[in-house]
Amino acid sequence: MGISIVKSEITRYDSIDWANLGFGKFFSDHMFISIYDGTRWDDGKIIPYGPISYEPSMMTLHYGQTIFEGLKAYYNVKGGINLFRPDMNAKRMNSSAERLCIPLFDEKKFVEAIIELVKLDQKFVPRKKGESLYIRPVCFGSSCFLGVHPSKEYTFIIITSPVASYYPEGLNPVKILIVDEYVRAVRGGLGMAKTAANYAASLYAGMKAKEKGFSQVLWLDGIQHEFVDEVGAMNIMFVIDDVLITPPLSQGSILPGVTRDSVLKLARDMGIKVQERSIKIQEVLESYEVGTLQEVFGTGTAATISPVGKLYYKDKEMIINNNQIGPIAQKMYDTLTGIQHGEIEDKYNWIVHIEI
Ligand SMILES: *Cc1c(COP(=O)(O)O)cnc(C)c1O
């Protein structure tokens, strides 16, 4: 059985401020929804985007048994629409699902549902470079019951949102606060899963940092507060002495980013020396002191590459590469967005092309 489709009778297209898309403010006409009844996922259907209703006892509201994903559909300059490595999101959603005791969802079906949804709402894929249709799968325990154990029923939904680039500053370097008072995740916890709890844990420190004029927080490991984990909701990379360094997934509290993986592959193929290893904040400070800290940038689907211009740790200010985007960050941004929009050959078979 395929995915059934109920088309919306009205369109939200004209209510969208296409000149000021921002991020996550507008939604397209349809959504995909599939229900797990305790035994199996149903075939799923595409229906008009709109409210869903649950009783107040719905388990996820209380115990947070929920996971999500994020990927984008890009307009291809030669026509059609490109998805970027959606199979990676399907896999990652299932590894998050396993950690949160959520039943696995068929990975082929995950990609198929996205393709059907994007095809149906193709006019919502912005044509401008840098803009895209953000795709947000979310899956949560939806039994109505109060009691701490995994839900019996689950709801899986995919919504889409036309977006501009994530940061209003564009590729301009951001100002980051390194915190050691609060942590986002801890080894053995949920850091490797894309789940709401990690975001809830990050809000307070993020808000405090924003009040002080920073755009994001850099997280240190949750045990010794010594090793670099991630930056905001992105993976982090350093260029020290011409070596691209990023913390290893084995650190235990790092989300395995699709952008991270792609940047590491590109860098190795470009002949850049790459190290996936733990890096102490002390090493970052010392390399800054001796002048070998060349670049710092975050990687993630929302912003692709986000250069860090200023880093603050305790009372110390570090200005990275004169507060300019560095050559490796720029090269990664150009290559990734080039592949995503079909301007650069996709040597890696990363693109799933949708004919329209
Ligand atoms: C989603 C996410 C990332 C980036 O992953 P991508 O697949 O590259 O978008 C990094 N860190 C956290 C905490 C995330 O939630």
Side-chain angles (χ1 to χ4, degrees):
M1 277 286 286
I3 298 164
S4 63
I5 298 179
V6 180
K7 280 196 186 162
S8 175
E9 281 166 17
I10 48 145
T11 181
R12 314 165 74 88
Y13 189 87
D14 296 323
S15 66
I16 292 176
D17 183 359
W18 288 96
N20 299 290
L21 284 176
F23 194 92
K25 286 196 290 185
F26 302 107
F27 301 96
S28 44
D29 286 341
H30 299 89
M31 62 185 190
F32 172 84
I33 183 163
S34 177
I35 305 291
Y36 185 87
D37 62 4
T39 322
R40 57 179 282 278
W41 288 104
D42 66 17
D43 292 321
K45 53 193 181 189
I46 290 174
I47 57 174
Y49 175 92
I52 46 175
S53 75
Y54 290 99
E55 293 174 33
S57 58
M58 198 266 275
M59 290 180 82
T60 292
L61 294 176
H62 305 265
Y63 310 122
Q65 196 192 6
T66 176
I67 54 177
F68 68 95
E69 270 304 323
L71 66 158
K72 284 174 169 177
Y74 306 86
Y75 188 65
N76 184 315
V77 291
K78 297 180 194 107
I81 295 166
N82 289 339
L83 300 176
F84 186 72
R85 310 187 73 183
D87 52 308
M88 294 274 287
N89 298 92
K91 268 205 200 83
R92 186 172 64 192
M93 194 179 84
N94 273 344
S95 56
S96 300
E98 195 170 0
R99 181 65 180 82
L100 274 290
C101 306
I102 293 174
L104 305 191
F105 193 82
D106 185 87
E107 290 173 16
K108 273 211 200 95
K109 182 87 180 225
F110 176 101
V111 177
E112 188 195 327
I114 289 173
I115 291 172
E116 286 305 311
L117 190 60
V118 170
K119 256 192 199 156
L120 187 61
D121 280 337
Q122 53 183 258
K123 64 175 186 242
F124 289 89
V125 180
R127 299 305 193 243
K128 251 199 264 165
K129 197 171 172 198
E131 298 185 345
S132 57
L133 185 69
Y134 185 73
I135 302 162
R136 166 55 60 85
V138 60
C139 183
F140 51 95
S142 46
S143 289
C144 293
F145 182 80
L146 297 182
V148 181
H149 61 69
S151 179
K152 185 168 151 277
E153 286 154 32
Y154 294 84
T155 304
F156 174 46
I157 295 176
I158 308 173
I159 57 176
T160 67
S161 167
V163 298
S165 97
Y166 190 71
Y167 291 104
E169 306 97 306
L171 255 186
N172 292 334
V174 292
K175 191 174 155 187
I176 300 288
L177 180 66
I178 303 170
V179 290
D180 58 5
E181 195 178 352
Y182 304 103
V183 297
R184 183 193 85 96
V186 68
R187 181 195 296 251
L190 297 175
M192 294 184 84
K194 216 167 170 73
T195 180
N198 293 330
Y199 286 80
S202 78
L203 293 177
Y204 190 75
M207 181 184 75
K208 290 276 168 206
K210 285 215 173 79
E211 283 170 8
K212 292 185 202 150
F214 297 96
S215 61
Q216 293 269 358
V217 163
L218 187 150
W219 304 102
L220 299 178
D221 80 273
I223 296 170
Q224 290 132 313
H225 302 190
E226 203 175 357
F227 295 97
V228 174
D229 256 2
E230 293 202 66
V231 57
M234 290 180 290
N235 294 115
I236 188 156
M237 306 213 172
F238 300 89
V239 181
I240 299 176
D241 228 352
D242 293 326
V243 182
L244 182 66
I245 304 169
T246 195
L249 299 179
S250 58
Q251 202 155 295
S253 47
I254 292 172
L255 204 280
V258 176
T259 320
R260 175 188 182 280
D261 184 81
S262 309
V263 165
L264 294 181
K265 279 211 175 71
L266 288 174
R268 288 188 171 110
D269 281 6
M270 287 169 186
I272 297 167
K273 205 165 164 215
V274 171
Q275 290 177 352
E276 283 179 78
R277 64 164 171 90
S278 294
I279 176 163
K280 285 187 179 173
I281 194 60
Q282 203 54 40
E283 179 182 345
V284 176
L285 287 164
E286 282 164 15
S287 63
Y288 181 75
E289 288 303 328
V290 298
T292 51
L293 178 60
Q294 295 154 305
E295 296 188 40
V296 182
F297 55 92
T299 68
T301 297
T304 314
I305 300 290
S306 178
V308 175
K310 293 177 178 169
L311 257 181
Y312 292 76
Y313 182 63
K314 302 192 195 278
D315 290 328
K316 172 107 191 121
E317 179 190 62
M318 291 176 265
I319 298 174
I320 319 294
N321 195 43
N322 280 321
N323 200 24
Q324 304 286 311
I325 183 168
I328 293 183
Q330 184 72 56
K331 181 115 206 201
M332 292 302 160
Y333 181 81
D334 292 343
T335 309
L336 280 173
T337 53
I339 294 172
Q340 287 159 344
H341 289 276
E343 295 165 324
I344 293 179
E345 191 200 339
D346 170 29
K347 284 194 290 190
Y348 306 92
N349 255 320
W350 282 343
I351 297 298
V352 171
H353 185 71
I354 305 175
E355 299 280 349
I356 55 173

